[in-house]
């Protein structure tokens, strides 16, 4: 049984992409989506393109996935589930070893330039921890952008939310 807002100890088991992973939760698989960030979309089976911008986006997706793998491999993760999304994943805040802005996985992905902020507009009652995470995500995304780190180094970058609007076949 998972209770939203409660901290749980887990370990990473499988990384789907730069913002989605499976955790070992008490011996069971738990699919998790990192809250308030977005990373480039991976190429889906049967979808191809010759457009260099799309090919580059898929390359960035692989780099974001690799960055998340390197970040969490073999390390204890503290999971704070918030809610389930439309794909039946738990949307969560995740931390390495302890709950701190410095160890928040979403912030670390944005700081490295492998994620972008995905700011919520539908909720207005944040606790102190959530405000610190949200501020950290926005701050580190802006900093990585200014420094041209990671995906921000690509002048023709298609942001994840823009990419999702494209019709690919």
């Amino acid at each position: 049984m998972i209770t939203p807002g409660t901290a749980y100890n887990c370990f990473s088991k499988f990384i789907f992409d730069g913002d989605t992973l499976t955790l070992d939760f008490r011996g069971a698989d738990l699919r998790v989506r990192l809250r308030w960030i977005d990373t480039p979309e991976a190429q889906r089976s049967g979808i191809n393109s010759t457009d260099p911008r799309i090919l580059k986006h898929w390359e960035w997706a692989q780099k974001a996935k690799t960055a998340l793998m390197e970040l969490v491999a073999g390390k204890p993760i503290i999971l704070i589930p918030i809610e389930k999304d439309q794909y039946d994943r738990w949307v969560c805040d995740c931390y390495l070893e302890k709950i701190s802005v410095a160890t928040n996985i979403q912030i670390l992905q944005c700081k490295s330039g492998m994620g972008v902020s995905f700011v919520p507009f539908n909720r207005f009652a944040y606790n102190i921890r959530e405000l610190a995470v949200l501020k950290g995500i926005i701050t580190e995304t802006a900093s990585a952008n200014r420094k041209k780190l990671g995906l921000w180094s690509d002048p023709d970058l298609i942001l994840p939310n823009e990419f999702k609007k494209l019709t690919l076949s």
Side-chain angles (χ1 to χ4, degrees):
M1 178 74 180
I2 295 175
T3 305
T6 302
Y8 298 98
N9 293 313
C10 303
F11 283 92
S12 67
K13 194 166 183 181
F14 182 79
I15 308 300
F16 284 94
D17 58 28
D19 55 29
T20 306
L21 60 159
T22 297
L23 299 177
D24 181 335
F25 176 75
R26 299 178 179 169
D29 289 355
L30 181 67
R31 194 158 178 210
V32 169
R33 171 69 163 79
L34 298 174
R35 181 162 72 148
W36 295 335
I37 71 166
D38 210 357
T39 60
E41 297 298 307
Q43 183 176 7
R44 299 198 188 279
S45 178
I47 304 294
N48 295 300
S49 178
T50 57
D51 183 330
R53 292 183 71 209
I54 291 172
L55 296 173
K56 190 67 169 176
H57 185 89
W58 288 333
E59 285 178 32
W60 282 116
Q62 186 58 46
K63 290 177 183 179
K65 176 181 178 176
T66 299
L68 183 58
M69 287 169 53
E70 291 172 356
L71 187 62
V72 303
K75 296 177 185 163
I77 295 173
I78 298 173
L79 164 82
I80 300 178
I82 307 302
E83 63 190 0
K84 285 216 173 179
D85 70 6
Q86 71 236 31
Y87 304 108
D88 202 37
R89 302 174 295 191
W90 276 98
V91 178
C92 302
D93 292 334
C94 293
Y95 300 85
L96 296 172
E97 300 181 23
K98 65 179 183 173
I99 298 174
S100 162
V101 169
T103 63
N104 178 271
I105 294 171
Q106 298 104 282
I107 293 172
L108 294 170
Q109 276 290 81
C110 292
K111 184 176 184 174
S112 69
M114 290 297 143
V116 300
S117 58
F118 186 70
V119 181
F121 293 104
N122 60 346
R123 189 169 162 210
F124 303 101
Y126 304 111
N127 63 38
I128 298 296
R129 183 193 58 76
E130 289 175 316
L131 281 172
V133 170
L134 188 54
K135 179 183 175 193
I137 288 169
I138 293 168
T139 300
E140 294 302 342
T141 298
S143 177
N145 187 347
R146 274 193 311 279
K147 295 175 183 175
K148 302 298 180 214
L149 298 176
L151 54 86
W152 297 108
S153 66
D154 186 346
D156 289 327
L157 172 69
I158 303 174
L159 288 170
N161 67 319
E162 296 167 353
F163 189 87
K164 290 173 187 166
K165 295 175 188 175
L166 297 177
T167 305
L168 301 174
S169 52

